């Protein structure tokens, strides 16, 4: 076959499988890498599967945007938790995870050569999706605490800009953006006639009385705000691949074109499970979020031992800490040595667009208290020795 050059040449390779292979080759490694939780979906999710099996027509294709009963449940959740009211200017589309929701949005609002603004460090799948669409990610630095720089965002907008992307709570930093900051971005997008895409996959994971804010709840935001949500994190739904997006109604036809081409509809059995999950008792989320908050507290306390060689930035959300390590050693070399020599895995900051310096993402959402303690102890020992 001829050695043809495709658009994929400019797309970075996913880092998670690379780290996964290193972990498999080093038995006993504790992963502080992939951003997942350890717990299973609520029993209500499994119980709801009987409804799927009771209807023969569920073996057929269903609505591209999602089954009506799930859309109704999501609308109620958006109203009660996010203060987002679905009206004639907005609508919901169920997707196969929030990564698909982001790709739907990019393909719906851009043409090849357009630009989308990402705040660094970015979520790598966002950057990859933009390049796959033949568009250009424009990178804007956040401040030393990974908070948004509104002036820099405004200055980065050109005639080719189609959207500004924010993630709050943030992956990979754990930063949570204030209402003032998100309103500022949303207003800039409104004034410039571009879209504000906000990823809210970690909406439930906030700590120390920090409140999650949804830009789609702001007055007058419906026509230019795209909100992305996921059941993967809070509901232990990673492999079920169910997310959803709230979009301006004017984008529905375009979004459905994308989704019908790639997927037709999210798997119906998974949508029934999602319907059950959204009916879970409040204690389900309360219990698991409390457990993760306790792990977070323990991890943060332990990481203080690295203050002489690392900058540990405050992280009020998600289940990550993003460390800046005081070293000139190549980041991937540090990661590789941590796995091979100390049996602990983290994700290199380069995959999040941080190439000036050594950054590491530490994830604790999938760990129980005792495993987290062992993993962090190995990380501390390894970094002190390597650096």
């Amino acid at each position: 076959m001829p050695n043809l050059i495709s658009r994929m040449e400019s797309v970075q390779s996913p880092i998670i499988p690379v780290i996964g292979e290193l972990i498999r080759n080093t038995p006993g490694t504790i992963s502080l890498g992939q951003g997942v939780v350890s717990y299973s979906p609520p029993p209500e999710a499994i119980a709801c599967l009987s409804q799927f099996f009771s209807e023969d027509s569920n073996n057929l294709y269903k609505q591209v945007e999602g089954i009506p009963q799930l859309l109704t449940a999501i609308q109620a959740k958006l109203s009660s938790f996010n203060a987002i009211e679905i009206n004639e200017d907005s609508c919901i589309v169920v997707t196969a995870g929030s990564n698909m929701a982001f790709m739907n949005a990019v393909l719906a609002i851009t043409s090849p050569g357009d630009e989308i603004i990402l705040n660094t460090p970015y979520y790598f799948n966002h950057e990859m999706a933009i390049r796959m669409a033949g568009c250009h990610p424009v990178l804007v630095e956040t401040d030393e605490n990974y908070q948004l720089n509104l002036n820099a965002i405004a200055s980065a907008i050109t005639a080719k800009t189609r959207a500004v992307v924010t993630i709050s709570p943030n992956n990979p930093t754990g930063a949570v953006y204030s209402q003032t900051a998100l309103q500022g971005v949303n207003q800039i997008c409104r004034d410039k006639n571009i879209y504000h895409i906000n990823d809210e996959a970690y909406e439930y994971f906030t700590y120390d009385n920090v409140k999650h804010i949804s830009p789609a709840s702001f007055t007058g935001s419906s026509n230019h705000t795209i909100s992305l949500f996921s059941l993967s994190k809070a509901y232990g739904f990673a492999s079920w691949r169910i997310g959803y997006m709230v979009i301006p109604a004017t984008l529905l036809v375009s979004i459905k074109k994308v989704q019908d081409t790639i997927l037709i509809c999210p798997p119906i059995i998974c949508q029934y499970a999602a319907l059950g999950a959204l009916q879970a008792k409040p204690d389900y989320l309360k219990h698991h979020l409390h457990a993760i908050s306790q792990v977070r507290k323990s991890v943060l306390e332990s990481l203080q031992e690295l203050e002489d060689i690392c900058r540990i930035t405050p992280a009020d959300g998600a289940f990550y800490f993003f460390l800046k390590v005081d070293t000139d050693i190549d980041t991937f070399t540090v990661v590789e040595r941590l796995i091979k020599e100390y049996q602990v895995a983290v994700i290199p900051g380069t995959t999040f667009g941080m190439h000036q310096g050594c950054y590491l993402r530490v994830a604790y959402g999938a760990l129980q208290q005792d495993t987290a303690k062992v993993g962090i102890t190995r990380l501390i020992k390894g970094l002190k020795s390597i650096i």
Side-chain angles (χ1 to χ4, degrees), residues 13-35:
S13 294
I15 192 65
I16 299 298
V18 175
I19 301 300
E21 182 66 19
L22 287 170
I23 292 172
R24 284 190 292 274
N25 292 334
T26 312
T29 296
I30 293 176
S31 177
L32 304 175
Q34 193 164 23

CSV table of all heavy atoms in Angstrom, one decimal, residues 13-35:
chain,number,residue,atom,x,y,z
A,13,SER,N,-0.9,10.1,20.0
A,13,SER,CA,-1.4,8.8,20.4
A,13,SER,C,-1.9,8.8,21.8
A,13,SER,O,-1.3,9.5,22.7
A,13,SER,CB,-0.3,7.7,20.2
A,13,SER,OG,0.1,7.6,18.9
A,14,PRO,N,-3.0,8.1,22.1
A,14,PRO,CA,-3.6,8.1,23.5
A,14,PRO,C,-2.5,7.6,24.5
A,14,PRO,O,-1.9,6.5,24.2
A,14,PRO,CB,-4.8,7.2,23.4
A,14,PRO,CG,-5.1,7.2,21.9
A,14,PRO,CD,-3.9,7.3,21.2
A,15,ILE,N,-2.4,8.2,25.6
A,15,ILE,CA,-1.3,7.9,26.5
A,15,ILE,C,-1.8,6.7,27.4
A,15,ILE,O,-0.9,5.9,27.9
A,15,ILE,CB,-0.9,9.1,27.4
A,15,ILE,CG1,0.4,8.8,28.2
A,15,ILE,CG2,-2.0,9.5,28.3
A,15,ILE,CD1,1.6,8.6,27.3
A,16,ILE,N,-3.1,6.6,27.7
A,16,ILE,CA,-3.5,5.6,28.7
A,16,ILE,C,-3.1,4.2,28.3
A,16,ILE,O,-2.6,3.4,29.1
A,16,ILE,CB,-5.0,5.7,28.9
A,16,ILE,CG1,-5.4,7.1,29.4
A,16,ILE,CG2,-5.5,4.6,29.8
A,16,ILE,CD1,-4.9,7.4,30.8
A,17,PRO,N,-3.3,3.8,27.0
A,17,PRO,CA,-2.8,2.4,26.6
A,17,PRO,C,-1.3,2.2,26.8
A,17,PRO,O,-0.8,1.1,27.1
A,17,PRO,CB,-3.3,2.3,25.1
A,17,PRO,CG,-4.4,3.3,25.0
A,17,PRO,CD,-4.0,4.4,25.9
A,18,VAL,N,-0.5,3.3,26.5
A,18,VAL,CA,0.9,3.2,26.7
A,18,VAL,C,1.3,2.9,28.1
A,18,VAL,O,2.1,2.0,28.4
A,18,VAL,CB,1.6,4.5,26.2
A,18,VAL,CG1,3.1,4.5,26.4
A,18,VAL,CG2,1.3,4.7,24.7
A,19,ILE,N,0.7,3.7,29.0
A,19,ILE,CA,0.9,3.5,30.5
A,19,ILE,C,0.4,2.1,30.9
A,19,ILE,O,1.0,1.4,31.7
A,19,ILE,CB,0.3,4.6,31.3
A,19,ILE,CG1,0.9,6.0,30.9
A,19,ILE,CG2,0.5,4.4,32.8
A,19,ILE,CD1,2.3,6.1,31.0
A,20,GLY,N,-0.7,1.7,30.3
A,20,GLY,CA,-1.3,0.5,30.7
A,20,GLY,C,-0.4,-0.7,30.3
A,20,GLY,O,-0.3,-1.7,31.1
A,21,GLU,N,0.3,-0.6,29.2
A,21,GLU,CA,1.2,-1.6,28.8
A,21,GLU,C,2.4,-1.7,29.7
A,21,GLU,O,2.9,-2.8,30.1
A,21,GLU,CB,1.7,-1.4,27.3
A,21,GLU,CG,2.7,-2.4,26.8
A,21,GLU,CD,2.0,-3.8,26.6
A,21,GLU,OE1,0.7,-3.9,26.5
A,21,GLU,OE2,2.7,-4.8,26.5
A,22,LEU,N,2.9,-0.5,30.1
A,22,LEU,CA,4.0,-0.5,31.1
A,22,LEU,C,3.6,-1.1,32.4
A,22,LEU,O,4.4,-1.9,33.1
A,22,LEU,CB,4.5,0.9,31.3
A,22,LEU,CG,5.3,1.6,30.2
A,22,LEU,CD1,5.4,3.1,30.5
A,22,LEU,CD2,6.6,0.9,30.0
A,23,ILE,N,2.3,-0.9,32.8
A,23,ILE,CA,1.8,-1.5,34.1
A,23,ILE,C,1.7,-3.0,34.0
A,23,ILE,O,2.1,-3.7,34.9
A,23,ILE,CB,0.5,-0.9,34.4
A,23,ILE,CG1,0.6,0.6,34.8
A,23,ILE,CG2,-0.2,-1.6,35.6
A,23,ILE,CD1,-0.7,1.4,35.0
A,24,ARG,N,1.2,-3.5,32.8
A,24,ARG,CA,1.1,-4.9,32.6
A,24,ARG,C,2.5,-5.6,32.6
A,24,ARG,O,2.6,-6.8,33.1
A,24,ARG,CB,0.4,-5.2,31.3
A,24,ARG,CG,-1.1,-5.0,31.4
A,24,ARG,CD,-1.8,-5.5,30.2
A,24,ARG,NE,-1.5,-4.7,29.0
A,24,ARG,CZ,-2.1,-3.6,28.6
A,24,ARG,NH1,-3.1,-3.1,29.4
A,24,ARG,NH2,-1.8,-3.0,27.5
A,25,ASN,N,3.5,-4.9,32.2
A,25,ASN,CA,4.8,-5.5,32.1
A,25,ASN,C,5.5,-5.4,33.5
A,25,ASN,O,6.7,-5.8,33.6
A,25,ASN,CB,5.6,-4.8,31.0
A,25,ASN,CG,5.1,-5.2,29.6
A,25,ASN,OD1,4.5,-6.2,29.4
A,25,ASN,ND2,5.4,-4.3,28.7
A,26,THR,N,4.9,-4.7,34.4
A,26,THR,CA,5.5,-4.5,35.8
A,26,THR,C,4.5,-5.0,36.8
A,26,THR,O,3.8,-4.1,37.4
A,26,THR,CB,5.9,-3.1,36.0
A,26,THR,OG1,6.7,-2.6,34.9
A,26,THR,CG2,6.8,-3.0,37.3
A,27,PRO,N,4.3,-6.3,37.0
A,27,PRO,CA,3.3,-6.8,37.9
A,27,PRO,C,3.4,-6.1,39.3
A,27,PRO,O,4.5,-5.9,39.8
A,27,PRO,CB,3.5,-8.3,38.0
A,27,PRO,CG,4.2,-8.6,36.7
A,27,PRO,CD,5.0,-7.3,36.4
A,28,GLY,N,2.3,-5.9,39.9
A,28,GLY,CA,2.3,-5.3,41.3
A,28,GLY,C,2.2,-3.8,41.3
A,28,GLY,O,2.2,-3.1,42.4
A,29,THR,N,2.2,-3.2,40.1
A,29,THR,CA,2.2,-1.7,40.0
A,29,THR,C,0.8,-1.2,40.5
A,29,THR,O,-0.2,-1.7,40.1
A,29,THR,CB,2.5,-1.2,38.6
A,29,THR,OG1,3.8,-1.6,38.2
A,29,THR,CG2,2.3,0.3,38.4
A,30,ILE,N,0.9,-0.1,41.3
A,30,ILE,CA,-0.4,0.6,41.7
A,30,ILE,C,-0.5,1.8,40.7
A,30,ILE,O,0.4,2.6,40.5
A,30,ILE,CB,-0.3,1.1,43.1
A,30,ILE,CG1,-0.3,-0.1,44.1
A,30,ILE,CG2,-1.4,2.0,43.5
A,30,ILE,CD1,-0.1,0.3,45.5
A,31,SER,N,-1.7,1.8,40.1
A,31,SER,CA,-2.0,2.9,39.1
A,31,SER,C,-2.6,4.1,39.8
A,31,SER,O,-3.7,4.1,40.4
A,31,SER,CB,-2.9,2.4,38.0
A,31,SER,OG,-3.2,3.5,37.1
A,32,LEU,N,-1.9,5.2,39.7
A,32,LEU,CA,-2.4,6.6,40.0
A,32,LEU,C,-2.6,7.3,38.7
A,32,LEU,O,-2.4,8.5,38.6
A,32,LEU,CB,-1.4,7.3,40.9
A,32,LEU,CG,-1.0,6.7,42.2
A,32,LEU,CD1,0.1,7.5,42.9
A,32,LEU,CD2,-2.2,6.5,43.1
A,33,GLY,N,-3.0,6.5,37.6
A,33,GLY,CA,-3.0,7.0,36.3
A,33,GLY,C,-4.4,7.3,35.8
A,33,GLY,O,-4.9,8.4,35.8
A,34,GLN,N,-5.2,6.3,35.4
A,34,GLN,CA,-6.4,6.5,34.7
A,34,GLN,C,-7.5,7.1,35.6
A,34,GLN,O,-7.6,6.7,36.8
A,34,GLN,CB,-6.9,5.2,34.1
A,34,GLN,CG,-8.1,5.4,33.1
A,34,GLN,CD,-8.3,4.2,32.2
A,34,GLN,OE1,-8.0,3.1,32.6
A,34,GLN,NE2,-8.9,4.4,31.0
A,35,GLY,N,-8.3,8.0,35.1
A,35,GLY,CA,-9.3,8.7,35.8
A,35,GLY,C,-10.6,8.0,35.9
A,35,GLY,O,-11.5,8.3,35.1
